[in-house]
Amino acid sequence: MKTRNTPSMLIAILLAFLALGATKAQAIVVVDGRPVGITFGQTARVTAANTGTRAITISCKFLDSDGNVLAEFDGGFIEPGNMIAFDLNADDIIRESNRIQIRVVISADTLRGLLRSTEVFENATGKTTVFIIDPGV
């Protein structure tokens, strides 16, 4: 029987190993950039790294499930080899319920060389509970 190593098969294997280790690390790795929930005592952090050869102009918005802007950041320029991060502290969001679904919108003058991720961590301990890799990476 002949087998092929397709990218989707490799991703599935990687996710299986990560799922097995998630109990120990208590972090979830998502490779599709879907919205994520945060609650009091947590912060969502978006990190953008420039692996290209020229500066990238970037801005970032955190949106709720209705598309309302929760926070907006104009990060300016990311020089080659540098990275920047934008934070949204769930304690600063005025809302009726404990938990809120958010998503991130990043605008940049180019995506070439721009690596992006979103992380949710506990404010008190700094422990990461969710790590999302942008699918464009």
Side-chain angles (χ1 to χ4, degrees), residues 44-52 54-62 73-87 104-119 131-134 137:
R45 173 172 290 157
V46 173
T47 303
N50 183 352
T51 63
R54 68 176 192 90
I56 298 174
T57 304
I58 188 170
S59 64
C60 173
K61 293 179 185 178
F62 286 99
F73 307 98
D74 181 11
F77 294 99
I78 309 173
E79 295 296 330
N82 291 334
M83 62 184 175
I84 58 173
F86 307 106
D87 287 355
V104 177
V105 175
I106 294 179
S107 302
D109 59 348
T110 183
L111 295 180
R112 174 173 267 154
L114 184 64
L115 303 178
R116 303 159 311 270
S117 67
T118 303
E119 171 186 13
F131 186 76
I132 301 169
I133 301 168
D134 189 294
V137 178

Side-chain angles (χ1 to χ4, degrees), residues 36-51:
V36 65
I38 61 174
T39 189
F40 292 110
Q42 294 181 322
T43 293
R45 173 172 290 157
V46 173
T47 303
N50 183 352
T51 63

